[in-house]
Amino acid sequence: MKGIVLAGGSGTRLYPITKGVSKQLLPIYDKPMVYYPISVLMLAGIRDILIISTPMDLPAFQRLLGDGTDYGVHFEYAEQPSPDGLAQAFIIGEKFIGDDSVCLVLGDNIFHGAGFTELLQQAVADAEPTAEGNYFSCGCSKNQFPSAIATPTQPTAAENYFSQGFAKNQFPSAVAKATHVEAKATIFGYWVKDPERYGVAEFDKEGNCLSIEEKPKAPKSNYAVVGLYFYPNKVVDIAKHIKPSARGELEITTVNQEFLKAGELKMQTLGRGFAWLDTGTHDSLAEASIFVEVIEKRQGLKIACLEDIAYKNGWINKEKMRELAKPMLKNPYGQYLLKVSEEHD
């Protein structure tokens, strides 16, 4: 799966702060805002990431993030000349996405809560029509995969497929075809007190989405659709063929409605106590910084620390972690990186 961070827009609601700098480069406590959506992709296990921003701001993102080596990932960059809707990200990123599934996360959304990584991995599994993805979606962990393959099909599934001429590296796709598990898109819902201000989703007990409405006068639920979306590869074709809305934009809601019509849209809910923060106003920007500060100081654990995630995922080694910490040892961020590396000595 590929990941896209959409970090464009003019940030007019944050003027004059954003007259000279991208909103997504503003600090949220001790790190740039863009670290937070990137961390979501990394927690989902996604290592190929496209950053989309304005032609003016893109060089600043490149200076900040580089090619991704420091975080064990690969960054690419693309321009969005004008903000023509969220779904435009899939058209801009068509070549980058290729034949893969894709996750889109908005650059000004912050997520934090227990069990988030598992929800993300579930969404990845549902979007990828492979044997491995199918069995993860049934609740199997990675170390159970070989034994799990035999269960839904038959005890000698591997031998059967190999005897039919499949190579070992073709086995997962062969099993996927046999089990007929369809790839599905996943959106995330968050309970809000004023759903009429958001895109709102209705869903059944199995998490199948039943309806989506944009800023409805009579909401069918209190679950707002947040800025995080997982899609199978066909989202690119869908985005290329939808029509602009009345405001002239390619709406993500229209994309989601296409998956809904096909019965291929799942809904994951972010439960009570989970934090979803949108940093689009002066007040929400300050509140997000305070939230992160309180949690980090209370627990001594950092939120959205890219180096920490990369290290714990095994994407960078201890030496790299210490190298990254060295220029920052005079501040708590660098000291935290060094502490994390020493904890595993």
Side-chain angles (χ1 to χ4, degrees), residues 116-137:
F116 191 38
T117 300
E118 289 74 19
L119 292 178
L120 296 172
Q121 292 173 347
Q122 176 70 61
V124 172
D126 287 338
E128 296 183 332
T130 64
E132 189 171 1
N134 293 343
Y135 292 111
F136 293 161
S137 69

Side-chain angles (χ1 to χ4, degrees), residues 89-252:
F90 304 112
I91 300 173
I92 294 172
E94 179 179 8
K95 184 177 179 181
F96 166 78
I97 296 168
D99 296 326
D100 292 307
S101 53
V102 62
C103 171
L104 172 66
V105 59
L106 303 189
D108 61 356
N109 276 219
I110 295 174
F111 302 92
H112 182 67
F116 191 38
T117 300
E118 289 74 19
L119 292 178
L120 296 172
Q121 292 173 347
Q122 176 70 61
V124 172
D126 287 338
E128 296 183 332
T130 64
E132 189 171 1
N134 293 343
Y135 292 111
F136 293 161
S137 69
C138 296
C140 298
S141 64
K142 288 188 177 182
N143 58 9
Q144 294 173 314
F145 177 51
S147 59
I149 291 176
T151 306
T153 52
Q154 51 186 307
T156 57
E159 289 81 356
N160 290 341
Y161 283 108
F162 296 156
S163 68
Q164 292 174 28
F166 289 104
K168 287 188 177 182
N169 60 3
Q170 295 174 310
F171 180 48
S173 59
V175 178
K177 292 176 182 177
T179 53
H180 302 294
V181 177
E182 295 293 332
K184 293 191 175 183
T186 299
I187 57 176
F188 289 77
Y190 188 81
W191 184 280
V192 294
K193 66 178 181 180
D194 47 359
E196 63 278 357
R197 293 179 52 218
Y198 304 90
V200 175
E202 177 190 17
F203 55 97
D204 63 20
K205 293 181 180 179
E206 284 73 44
N208 299 304
C209 196
L210 303 176
S211 70
I212 300 178
E213 297 176 286
E214 190 66 31
K215 298 181 180 178
K217 293 182 179 179
K220 294 181 180 178
S221 83
N222 279 75
Y223 281 94
V225 179
V226 305
L228 177 62
Y229 318 87
F230 287 78
Y231 297 109
N233 182 262
K234 72 176 186 178
V235 69
V236 176
D237 190 59
I238 290 174
K240 288 165 66 176
H241 289 91
I242 62 173
K243 295 180 180 180
S245 64
R247 60 178 183 171
E249 295 189 3
L250 299 177
E251 306 286 356
I252 199 71

Side-chain angles (χ1 to χ4, degrees), residues 9-19 23 280 282:
S10 55
T12 53
R13 289 190 297 165
L14 286 171
Y15 274 10
I17 301 173
T18 50
K19 278 190 173 184
K23 172 175 68 173
H282 297 109

Side-chain angles (χ1 to χ4, degrees), residues 26-38:
L26 296 177
I28 300 297
Y29 185 45
D30 57 354
K31 61 192 77 69
M33 186 188 299
V34 73
Y35 273 38
Y36 295 85
I38 291 173

Side-chain angles (χ1 to χ4, degrees), residues 292-327:
V292 172
E293 179 184 12
V294 169
I295 297 294
E296 289 190 355
K297 286 185 175 179
R298 182 69 172 174
Q299 292 196 305
L301 301 172
K302 291 211 169 291
I303 298 171
C305 178
L306 304 187
E307 299 90 346
D308 188 13
I309 296 169
Y311 182 61
K312 290 176 179 175
N313 281 352
W315 299 348
I316 60 174
N317 59 28
K318 187 177 299 182
E319 289 69 30
K320 183 65 175 179
M321 188 71 158
R322 290 173 174 169
E323 176 190 329
L324 296 172
K326 192 173 181 180

Side-chain angles (χ1 to χ4, degrees), residues 19-80:
K19 278 190 173 184
V21 64
S22 168
K23 172 175 68 173
Q24 288 85 6
L25 292 173
L26 296 177
I28 300 297
Y29 185 45
D30 57 354
K31 61 192 77 69
M33 186 188 299
V34 73
Y35 273 38
Y36 295 85
I38 291 173
S39 75
V40 171
L41 299 176
M42 292 174 65
L43 289 172
I46 298 170
R47 301 180 72 175
D48 288 306
I49 300 170
L50 177 67
I51 310 293
I52 297 178
S53 190
T54 67
M56 182 180 71
D57 293 322
L58 207 58
F61 285 99
Q62 292 173 301
R63 288 194 300 272
L64 172 68
L65 300 168
D67 64 2
T69 303
D70 286 349
Y71 316 108
V73 301
H74 172 68
F75 287 127
E76 292 187 26
Y77 300 88
E79 294 181 357
Q80 184 185 35

